[in-house]
Amino acid sequence: MKKFLFRLFNLLVILFIVSAILQLIISIRIKNKTLFGSDNLYTVKDQKNDIVFLGSSRCYCTYDPRFFRDSLGIKSVNLGIEGHQDIAIHMIRLEYYLKYNPPPKLVLISFDPFMNAGSFNVQKEFTRKDYFSRYAFLPNDQDKAIVEYFHFNFIEKYVPLYALLKYNLLLKSVSVYKKTQWETIGFAENNHRWDTIANPYSYAGALKSYNAFTEYYDSIKTKLQSLNNLCKQNNIKLICVEMPVYKGIYNKDAFDVTKKMCDESGIILINTNENYIIDNPENFADQFHLNSNGVPLTMNVIIKDKNFITALKN
Amino acid sequence: MLFNSSDFLIFFTVVFFLYWFVFNKTIKIQNLFILLVSYFFYGWWNWRFLGLLMLSTLIDYSFGFAIEKGTHTKRKFFLVLGLINNLLVLGIFKYYNFFIAETQHLGGLMGFHIHPYFLSIALPVGISFYTFHGMSYVIDIYRGNFKPVKSFVDYAVFVCFFPLLVAGPIERATHLVPQVTTPRKFNYAQGVQGLRLVLWGLFKKMVIADSLASIVDKIFANYHQYSGSTLFLGAFYFTIQIYCDFSGYSDIAIGTAKLLGFELLSNFRYPYYSKSISEFWKRWHISLSTWFNDYLFNPIVFALRKWAKWGIAFAVIITFLISGLWHGASRHYIAWGLWYGIALAYEALTRSQRKKIFKKLPLKLADFISWACTFLYVCIGYILFRSSTLHIAFDYMHCLTHNLFTTPELKSFLLIYVLPFIVLDWYFRKSERVLHLPNNIFIKYSFYTIMFYAILYHSNDNSSFIYFQF
């Protein structure tokens, strides 16, 4: 038994050492770099931006910083994280930004009845968990919040290389030299048009979100107010923007609930669901996301909004 | 608790140390400990079915004594009762809804509209395996092959030993009980073999089977969209997937048992190198096929001995129909059983003629043809097994004939997973249950390290084993 345990221990030590060395090499290689685009927690540093965009994929593939630069001559950065409607992660993302960058004038969060506050549909298998698994091993104080948000387990946090292997980041870290779309143009542009025959719109999924938003109204409002407080502490004006959805799933009553919440919280809301945008499927990549046709139309609505102009001037 | 989960890793590490260092004073304490952790292991899945497992164990244990002590008539009576007990448990939990639905369907065809009562209960994990343990026990006692186990704990360990509880290998009392009742000492070589088998089993399951599962699921779910060549590749992938899944499970079970000082029966002996269907079934799920051979096929053949070859053919078809039904209460499993029953009956009836034909061919060519035909037959058979209904299976086979000789899609998996696995499987083919590695520490540690990282790399999806559903 002694011999068996001794040899087993030796093997485990060897595996541990090899893993630790590989973990170290990979960590150095990908430090301050983004592998996918939205895992850009440490990539955005020492930037003086006027606007920071937050939100889910509806933010990540819509806010085009080039548009704001060309139209208004202002600097902005899109920090959307696709697949995440929970306000908590966007607040964490903003905290990262504020730690390494001066506060912007405005924060525009894509906020609509598809958002939540982690209060319903608690996910165990998070979308894009793999993107953030690079932060799982031995998280520093800053990374603890995001590691907790994604529910990384004990082994993922304390066994070297485990999270990187489990979430298939090993090969990705080798190809880190390839620039992501986010690095090149500042957001994830959808260049394709919506194939409405292969993927027709479905109201059922949207309805589920609308109902959940009403059901968890109070907790979402609390989270939104926390985000607003964080902005206020840093002299930032928070603006909520309802991004366009295809008319087949657009429900005015549901979107009015968002407006009510913003009004009650004293936050400006811009609704970009103009008929000329949402009626035309040519503006969409799918029922929730705009494509390169719809993006400039929507950006135009934002920059022409009186509240936006006033907030930017102040 | 799945073998490929971190729960099991923690569970087994704790059990291993307590078993060898704390509860090692006497064999009784060690067995009681094994029994308790086996119940814990089973209860982790669903504690409510623990009562059923305990009751079934207790009844078979009692019938063992009743058969041993009874007169000739009573022995038979208790044997029948013992068999009914196990078959009733299986019948209620596994087959009731199936037979009721079939009766309803048949009634409908004849114009009777029946509205029967369906049970809405989960199928207890491992029910097909532990009831077969119980049946073999009472039959062996009735036949005089085995004396009843005196200690209930020892008998319960035989039935509930956690490595084999949910998906076998299906043990025999004659093989396992003597190991349960004999003091066990840790053996270095056995421990190393055990760990290697666990590692190899995890590799087969998590790296090969689970990776292929995603592509197999995709092909079988959208079979109308693919060419015949891709559908054939889908069947081939499933053939590899199910082998890696089930033999991977068996390797982990055998390896885990070795680490606790037990030697379980072999379940696989490189079945895809078989040159006939009968040889395939001597190498595939060996513990089940020998069980059916001993307790069903041989008695039928004996009863029909006057029919000579035809008796064997009839017995083999009946045996494999029941074997199909054992795998699942569904028509496609029965058809899968029949698929093999027909092949084996054909082999039994044409043995001499086939020998004559093959004698005329060069030996290697004859071997190759035999192997290719067998493997192809097995692959096609798995379409019946994998499809969710018999109708879908036939439709899949029909689609298979369209554009069969075109370049298949999704072939990259061949290079990444299947070919490397075949190379390794070929290398290990002579060392089932032991997994011999060259006596070079660098090669050994490299092998362990590569296996370890490959498993970690594929550890994202802890999917269940295919045979857990049976």
Side-chain angles (χ1 to χ4, degrees):
Chain A
M1 179 62 98
K2 270 185 191 169
K3 186 181 167 189
F4 177 79
L5 291 178
F6 179 71
R7 293 213 168 166
L8 181 63
F9 179 76
N10 282 352
L11 177 65
L12 292 176
V13 168
I14 289 170
L15 288 174
F16 185 84
I17 292 169
V18 172
S19 303
I21 291 169
L22 284 172
Q23 172 80 46
L24 189 71
I25 292 169
I26 293 166
S27 301
I28 291 169
R29 179 158 174 75
I30 63 177
K31 196 181 178 187
N32 297 338
K33 288 175 187 162
T34 170
L35 300 180
F36 301 96
S38 52
D39 59 328
N40 50 20
L41 305 183
Y42 293 98
T43 315
V44 185
K45 277 187 174 173
D46 303 321
Q47 291 187 10
K48 280 187 176 177
N49 289 299
D50 299 299
I51 309 176
V52 166
F53 304 113
L54 298 175
S56 63
S57 55
R58 285 159 49 66
C59 157
Y60 191 54
C61 67
T62 308
Y63 289 111
D64 182 353
R66 295 172 306 178
F67 186 90
F68 288 85
R69 183 195 61 204
D70 299 342
S71 313
L72 304 172
I74 57 172
K75 279 187 77 181
S76 60
V77 62
N78 186 332
L79 300 181
I81 298 173
E82 65 268 50
H84 290 268
Q85 288 83 32
D86 190 342
I87 299 170
I89 193 169
H90 305 303
M91 202 160 148
I92 294 170
R93 185 64 195 91
L94 183 61
E95 281 168 353
Y96 272 97
Y97 180 85
L98 293 173
K99 185 161 187 193
Y100 299 105
N101 303 276
K105 277 187 187 173
L106 299 179
V107 163
L108 263 66
I109 182 165
S110 164
F111 188 76
D112 44 40
F114 303 106
M115 294 299 275
N116 67 57
S119 45
F120 68 97
N121 190 22
V122 176
Q123 298 181 62
K124 282 184 181 170
E125 297 300 328
F126 284 94
T127 318
R128 309 291 183 236
K129 189 172 181 178
D130 50 340
Y131 286 18
F132 294 89
S133 57
R134 57 186 290 186
Y135 303 109
F137 179 64
L138 293 181
N140 58 30
D141 288 344
Q142 180 79 41
D143 293 341
K144 271 179 187 162
I146 203 131
V147 169
E148 246 172 57
Y149 172 84
F150 278 102
H151 293 210
F152 285 107
N153 64 30
F154 183 85
I155 305 173
E156 288 161 353
K157 282 194 271 190
Y158 298 108
V159 174
L161 209 62
Y162 180 72
L164 292 179
L165 280 168
K166 183 178 176 183
Y167 296 102
N168 297 344
L169 279 199
L170 197 62
L171 293 178
K172 189 72 190 168
S173 62
V174 176
S175 63
V176 71
Y177 57 87
K178 287 182 186 170
K179 279 204 166 182
T180 63
Q181 201 183 20
W182 178 84
E183 287 171 289
T184 319
I185 61 170
F187 79 120
E189 187 175 31
N190 285 317
N191 289 314
H192 63 280
R193 291 191 176 173
W194 182 12
D195 184 348
T196 51
I197 295 166
N199 303 299
Y201 78 85
S202 158
Y203 187 71
L207 183 65
K208 202 176 162 189
S209 293
Y210 295 151
N211 291 338
F213 192 85
T214 314
E215 190 182 347
Y216 296 100
Y217 185 88
D218 291 337
S219 52
I220 297 171
K221 189 176 158 186
T222 310
K223 278 274 175 78
L224 181 66
Q225 285 169 344
S226 307
L227 179 65
N228 195 26
N229 290 339
L230 177 67
C231 289
K232 278 180 182 169
Q233 284 162 19
N234 291 281
N235 292 322
I236 304 167
K237 186 84 179 167
L238 177 68
I239 296 179
C240 293
V241 182
E242 288 180 320
M243 284 295 173
V245 289
Y246 180 60
K247 66 172 177 185
I249 61 164
Y250 181 71
N251 181 325
K252 193 177 176 306
D253 293 341
F255 275 70
D256 282 348
V257 178
T258 316
K259 188 177 179 326
K260 185 184 158 213
M261 186 183 288
C262 289
D263 288 346
E264 287 172 2
S265 311
I267 300 168
I268 298 167
L269 178 96
I270 303 172
N271 188 350
T272 60
N273 283 276
E274 299 291 341
N275 288 341
Y276 64 90
I277 300 175
I278 68 171
D279 286 356
N280 187 1
E282 294 286 306
N283 293 330
F284 289 87
D286 58 52
Q287 61 184 1
F288 292 112
H289 302 101
L290 294 165
N291 62 16
S292 44
N293 253 2
V295 164
L297 300 175
T298 309
M299 295 300 100
N300 255 322
V301 177
I302 296 172
I303 62 165
K304 285 178 184 167
D305 187 274
K306 282 177 193 169
N307 288 320
F308 174 76
I309 296 166
T310 316
L312 195 62
K313 278 180 184 169
N314 293 335
Chain B
M1 202 184 298
L2 297 171
F3 282 170
N4 50 336
S5 65
S6 47
D7 293 339
F8 183 75
L9 179 70
I10 296 164
F11 165 81
F12 187 71
T13 308
V14 173
V15 167
F16 180 84
F17 282 100
L18 290 176
Y19 177 80
W20 288 116
F21 294 108
V22 179
F23 298 105
N24 61 342
K25 306 291 179 266
T26 66
I27 186 80
K28 279 185 181 175
I29 294 172
Q30 227 173 14
N31 286 345
L32 185 63
F33 175 69
I34 289 185
L35 181 63
L36 292 176
V37 295
S38 296
Y39 284 149
F40 176 81
F41 174 83
Y42 193 78
W44 188 269
W45 166 72
N46 191 337
W47 60 269
R48 278 169 294 193
F49 285 117
L50 256 179
L52 181 73
L53 175 64
M54 288 174 182
L55 187 68
S56 170
T57 313
L58 187 66
I59 292 172
D60 288 330
Y61 172 73
S62 316
F63 283 156
F65 283 109
I67 293 167
E68 176 71 8
K69 286 175 187 169
T71 58
H72 180 70
T73 339
K74 276 190 177 173
R75 282 165 63 85
K76 208 164 200 171
F77 173 72
F78 284 115
L79 170 71
V80 172
L81 272 188
L83 294 178
I84 287 175
N85 160 51
N86 287 294
L87 292 173
L88 203 66
V89 171
L90 262 183
I92 292 170
F93 286 93
K94 191 167 176 179
Y95 299 110
Y96 174 82
N97 284 349
F98 170 70
F99 282 116
I100 288 292
E102 289 298 306
T103 311
Q104 189 185 26
H105 179 71
L106 209 67
L109 290 178
M110 293 192 296
F112 301 110
H113 296 289
I114 314 163
H115 300 286
Y117 176 73
F118 286 97
L119 293 173
S120 55
I121 40 172
L123 178 69
V125 163
I127 191 168
S128 304
F129 292 90
Y130 69 72
T131 49
F132 268 44
H133 279 149
M135 279 197 276
S136 73
Y137 176 73
V138 289
I139 296 171
D140 279 347
I141 291 175
Y142 176 77
R143 286 177 174 175
N145 294 341
F146 195 72
K147 295 276 179 200
V149 184
K150 284 180 186 166
S151 155
F152 173 75
V153 173
D154 291 353
Y155 174 72
V157 168
F158 156 66
V159 177
C160 310
F161 185 36
F162 70 87
L164 50 80
L165 182 55
V166 284
I170 300 169
E171 273 292 337
R172 305 297 178 81
T174 46
H175 180 252
L176 190 59
V177 171
Q179 295 183 59
V180 175
T181 51
T182 314
R184 295 173 289 274
K185 276 195 172 179
F186 185 82
N187 177 302
Y188 173 77
Q190 194 184 33
V192 171
Q193 288 162 14
L195 261 189
R196 274 186 202 165
L197 276 177
V198 171
L199 198 64
W200 181 231
L202 285 172
F203 177 81
K204 283 198 276 188
K205 163 67 182 161
M206 293 168 76
V207 179
I208 311 293
D210 288 351
S211 303
L212 289 177
S214 60
I215 207 76
V216 167
D217 292 349
K218 189 177 167 184
I219 294 173
F220 274 79
N222 309 294
Y223 64 94
H224 275 296
Q225 296 169 14
Y226 293 108
S227 63
S229 56
T230 308
L231 294 185
F232 181 76
L233 201 59
F236 172 67
Y237 283 160
F238 182 68
T239 306
I240 303 294
Q241 182 204 337
I242 192 166
Y243 172 57
C244 289
D245 191 286
F246 193 23
S247 72
Y249 168 83
S250 295
D251 283 349
I252 301 168
I254 294 168
T256 311
K258 274 177 187 281
L259 285 165
L260 298 175
F262 289 90
E263 288 292 337
L264 301 184
L265 289 169
S266 281
N267 230 7
F268 292 89
R269 208 171 292 129
Y270 301 90
Y272 294 155
Y273 302 117
S274 306
K275 295 184 196 101
S276 68
I277 296 297
S278 48
E279 189 189 348
F280 172 77
W281 277 101
K282 282 175 190 153
R283 291 160 163 247
W284 176 272
H285 204 174
I286 301 165
S287 65
L288 178 74
S289 49
T290 50
W291 196 101
F292 274 118
N293 189 58
D294 290 352
Y295 301 114
L296 190 66
F297 175 75
N298 283 343
I300 299 175
V301 170
F302 184 73
L304 303 175
R305 57 191 178 279
K306 285 180 184 169
W307 294 14
K309 269 185 187 177
W310 292 100
I312 295 172
F314 180 76
V316 85
I317 287 176
I318 294 292
T319 305
F320 273 85
L321 271 177
I322 293 173
S323 168
L325 191 64
W326 177 89
H327 281 84
S330 181
R331 289 179 194 174
H332 65 104
Y333 286 123
I334 299 172
W336 180 71
L338 187 64
W339 176 259
Y340 281 109
I342 291 169
L344 289 163
Y346 167 79
E347 283 186 359
L349 294 172
T350 62
R351 186 155 290 142
S352 51
Q353 290 91 324
R354 283 184 298 118
K355 262 189 182 175
K356 277 178 195 169
I357 295 168
F358 279 106
K359 263 188 181 176
K360 291 173 189 170
L361 296 172
L363 187 65
K364 284 196 172 174
L365 179 66
D367 279 354
F368 176 77
I369 292 171
S370 307
W371 168 80
C373 291
T374 305
F375 187 72
L376 192 67
Y377 195 85
V378 170
C379 275
I380 303 295
Y382 275 128
I383 296 172
L384 290 166
F385 190 95
R386 172 61 182 74
S387 301
S388 45
T389 66
L390 191 55
H391 173 76
I392 290 175
F394 286 145
D395 202 26
Y396 189 103
M397 287 180 184
H398 175 71
C399 294
L400 191 71
T401 56
H402 301 306
N403 302 320
L404 183 58
F405 299 101
T406 53
T407 311
E409 296 170 60
L410 310 165
K411 54 187 180 298
S412 57
F413 275 68
L414 266 178
L415 285 174
I416 302 169
Y417 293 106
V418 178
L419 290 180
F421 167 70
I422 290 172
V423 170
L424 281 172
D425 197 53
W426 176 259
Y427 177 78
F428 288 133
R429 75 193 183 283
K430 285 175 185 164
S431 58
E432 176 89 44
R433 294 167 57 85
V434 182
L435 222 63
H436 283 300
L437 289 171
N439 201 13
N440 177 315
I441 199 155
F442 178 74
I443 294 175
K444 275 184 197 170
Y445 275 52
S446 301
F447 173 80
Y448 299 145
T449 310
I450 292 166
M451 292 283 126
F452 176 78
Y453 285 124
I455 290 165
L456 273 191
Y457 192 70
H458 290 81
S459 60
N460 203 3
D461 176 28
N462 287 349
S463 56
S464 185
F465 290 86
I466 295 173
Y467 265 68
F468 274 24
Q469 62 187 300
F470 308 133

Short mmCIF file of all heavy atoms in Angstrom, two decimals, chain A residues 155-176:
data_model
loop_
_atom_site.label_atom_id
_atom_site.label_comp_id
_atom_site.label_asym_id
_atom_site.label_seq_id
_atom_site.Cartn_x
_atom_site.Cartn_y
_atom_site.Cartn_z
N ILE A 155 -12.84 23.20 -7.71
CA ILE A 155 -11.76 22.61 -8.52
C ILE A 155 -11.34 23.60 -9.60
O ILE A 155 -10.15 23.76 -9.88
CB ILE A 155 -12.20 21.26 -9.15
CG1 ILE A 155 -12.69 20.32 -8.05
CG2 ILE A 155 -11.07 20.61 -9.92
CD1 ILE A 155 -13.31 19.04 -8.57
N GLU A 156 -12.31 24.23 -10.21
CA GLU A 156 -11.99 25.20 -11.27
C GLU A 156 -11.17 26.37 -10.72
O GLU A 156 -10.33 26.94 -11.42
CB GLU A 156 -13.28 25.71 -11.90
CG GLU A 156 -13.97 24.68 -12.77
CD GLU A 156 -15.43 24.96 -13.03
OE1 GLU A 156 -16.00 25.90 -12.44
OE2 GLU A 156 -16.04 24.23 -13.82
N LYS A 157 -11.43 26.69 -9.46
CA LYS A 157 -10.72 27.84 -8.87
C LYS A 157 -9.33 27.50 -8.36
O LYS A 157 -8.45 28.36 -8.36
CB LYS A 157 -11.56 28.41 -7.71
CG LYS A 157 -12.73 29.26 -8.20
CD LYS A 157 -13.33 30.08 -7.09
CE LYS A 157 -14.41 29.33 -6.37
NZ LYS A 157 -15.19 30.15 -5.44
N TYR A 158 -9.15 26.25 -7.92
CA TYR A 158 -7.89 25.96 -7.24
C TYR A 158 -7.01 24.89 -7.89
O TYR A 158 -5.89 24.69 -7.43
CB TYR A 158 -8.17 25.60 -5.77
CG TYR A 158 -8.83 26.77 -5.06
CD1 TYR A 158 -10.16 26.73 -4.70
CD2 TYR A 158 -8.10 27.93 -4.81
CE1 TYR A 158 -10.77 27.82 -4.09
CE2 TYR A 158 -8.70 29.02 -4.20
CZ TYR A 158 -10.04 28.97 -3.83
OH TYR A 158 -10.63 30.05 -3.25
N VAL A 159 -7.50 24.20 -8.90
CA VAL A 159 -6.63 23.22 -9.58
C VAL A 159 -6.11 23.87 -10.86
O VAL A 159 -6.89 24.24 -11.73
CB VAL A 159 -7.40 21.92 -9.89
CG1 VAL A 159 -6.54 20.97 -10.72
CG2 VAL A 159 -7.87 21.26 -8.62
N PRO A 160 -4.78 24.00 -10.96
CA PRO A 160 -4.25 24.68 -12.13
C PRO A 160 -4.62 23.96 -13.43
O PRO A 160 -4.66 22.74 -13.48
CB PRO A 160 -2.73 24.65 -11.90
CG PRO A 160 -2.49 23.63 -10.86
CD PRO A 160 -3.73 23.55 -10.05
N LEU A 161 -4.88 24.72 -14.44
CA LEU A 161 -5.16 24.26 -15.79
C LEU A 161 -6.55 23.64 -15.99
O LEU A 161 -7.03 23.50 -17.11
CB LEU A 161 -4.10 23.23 -16.25
CG LEU A 161 -3.83 23.15 -17.73
CD1 LEU A 161 -3.28 24.46 -18.26
CD2 LEU A 161 -2.87 22.03 -18.06
N TYR A 162 -7.18 23.27 -14.87
CA TYR A 162 -8.46 22.55 -14.98
C TYR A 162 -9.51 23.37 -15.75
O TYR A 162 -10.10 22.89 -16.71
CB TYR A 162 -8.97 22.18 -13.59
CG TYR A 162 -10.29 21.43 -13.63
CD1 TYR A 162 -10.35 20.12 -14.09
CD2 TYR A 162 -11.48 22.04 -13.24
CE1 TYR A 162 -11.55 19.43 -14.15
CE2 TYR A 162 -12.69 21.36 -13.30
CZ TYR A 162 -12.71 20.06 -13.75
OH TYR A 162 -13.90 19.39 -13.82
N ALA A 163 -9.71 24.61 -15.32
CA ALA A 163 -10.75 25.43 -15.97
C ALA A 163 -10.40 25.68 -17.43
O ALA A 163 -11.27 25.63 -18.30
CB ALA A 163 -10.92 26.74 -15.22
N LEU A 164 -9.13 25.92 -17.70
CA LEU A 164 -8.73 26.20 -19.09
C LEU A 164 -8.96 25.00 -19.99
O LEU A 164 -9.39 25.15 -21.13
CB LEU A 164 -7.24 26.59 -19.14
CG LEU A 164 -6.86 27.92 -18.49
CD1 LEU A 164 -5.37 28.15 -18.59
CD2 LEU A 164 -7.61 29.07 -19.13
N LEU A 165 -8.70 23.80 -19.44
CA LEU A 165 -8.93 22.59 -20.23
C LEU A 165 -10.41 22.29 -20.33
O LEU A 165 -10.92 21.97 -21.41
CB LEU A 165 -8.22 21.40 -19.58
CG LEU A 165 -6.73 21.29 -19.85
CD1 LEU A 165 -6.10 20.28 -18.93
CD2 LEU A 165 -6.48 20.87 -21.29
N LYS A 166 -11.10 22.41 -19.23
CA LYS A 166 -12.52 22.06 -19.20
C LYS A 166 -13.32 22.92 -20.17
O LYS A 166 -14.24 22.43 -20.82
CB LYS A 166 -13.04 22.24 -17.77
CG LYS A 166 -14.49 21.84 -17.60
CD LYS A 166 -14.93 21.99 -16.16
CE LYS A 166 -16.43 21.68 -16.04
NZ LYS A 166 -16.91 21.88 -14.69
N TYR A 167 -12.96 24.19 -20.24
CA TYR A 167 -13.73 25.08 -21.12
C TYR A 167 -13.02 25.31 -22.47
O TYR A 167 -13.29 26.30 -23.16
CB TYR A 167 -14.00 26.41 -20.40
CG TYR A 167 -14.87 26.19 -19.19
CD1 TYR A 167 -14.32 26.16 -17.91
CD2 TYR A 167 -16.23 25.96 -19.32
CE1 TYR A 167 -15.12 25.93 -16.80
CE2 TYR A 167 -17.03 25.72 -18.22
CZ TYR A 167 -16.46 25.71 -16.97
OH TYR A 167 -17.25 25.45 -15.86
N ASN A 168 -12.14 24.38 -22.79
CA ASN A 168 -11.50 24.36 -24.12
C ASN A 168 -10.78 25.67 -24.48
O ASN A 168 -10.90 26.15 -25.60
CB ASN A 168 -12.53 24.04 -25.20
CG ASN A 168 -13.13 22.67 -25.02
OD1 ASN A 168 -12.58 21.86 -24.28
ND2 ASN A 168 -14.24 22.40 -25.67
N LEU A 169 -10.08 26.23 -23.53
CA LEU A 169 -9.37 27.48 -23.81
C LEU A 169 -7.92 27.26 -24.19
O LEU A 169 -7.24 28.19 -24.59
CB LEU A 169 -9.41 28.40 -22.58
CG LEU A 169 -10.67 29.22 -22.37
CD1 LEU A 169 -10.40 30.37 -21.45
CD2 LEU A 169 -11.20 29.76 -23.68
N LEU A 170 -7.48 26.01 -24.04
CA LEU A 170 -6.07 25.73 -24.28
C LEU A 170 -5.68 26.07 -25.72
O LEU A 170 -4.73 26.82 -25.96
CB LEU A 170 -5.77 24.26 -23.99
CG LEU A 170 -4.32 23.91 -23.80
CD1 LEU A 170 -3.72 24.63 -22.61
CD2 LEU A 170 -4.15 22.42 -23.63
N LEU A 171 -6.43 25.55 -26.67
CA LEU A 171 -6.12 25.79 -28.08
C LEU A 171 -6.38 27.25 -28.44
O LEU A 171 -5.65 27.85 -29.23
CB LEU A 171 -6.95 24.87 -28.98
CG LEU A 171 -6.62 23.39 -28.87
CD1 LEU A 171 -7.52 22.57 -29.77
CD2 LEU A 171 -5.16 23.12 -29.24
N LYS A 172 -7.42 27.81 -27.84
CA LYS A 172 -7.77 29.20 -28.13
C LYS A 172 -6.63 30.14 -27.70
O LYS A 172 -6.34 31.13 -28.37
CB LYS A 172 -9.06 29.55 -27.38
CG LYS A 172 -9.65 30.88 -27.74
CD LYS A 172 -10.28 30.87 -29.12
CE LYS A 172 -10.63 32.29 -29.55
NZ LYS A 172 -10.98 32.37 -30.95
N SER A 173 -6.00 29.80 -26.58
CA SER A 173 -4.94 30.67 -26.08
C SER A 173 -3.71 30.64 -26.99
O SER A 173 -2.90 31.56 -26.99
CB SER A 173 -4.56 30.29 -24.66
OG SER A 173 -4.07 28.98 -24.65
N VAL A 174 -3.60 29.56 -27.77
CA VAL A 174 -2.48 29.47 -28.72
C VAL A 174 -2.71 30.46 -29.88
O VAL A 174 -1.79 31.08 -30.39
CB VAL A 174 -2.33 28.03 -29.25
CG1 VAL A 174 -1.24 27.95 -30.30
CG2 VAL A 174 -2.02 27.08 -28.10
N SER A 175 -3.99 30.61 -30.26
CA SER A 175 -4.30 31.46 -31.41
C SER A 175 -4.67 32.88 -30.98
O SER A 175 -5.44 33.56 -31.66
CB SER A 175 -5.44 30.84 -32.22
OG SER A 175 -6.60 30.79 -31.43
N VAL A 176 -4.12 33.34 -29.88
CA VAL A 176 -4.48 34.65 -29.32
C VAL A 176 -4.05 35.80 -30.23
O VAL A 176 -4.58 36.91 -30.15
CB VAL A 176 -3.91 34.80 -27.90
CG1 VAL A 176 -2.42 34.95 -27.92
CG2 VAL A 176 -4.57 35.94 -27.16
#
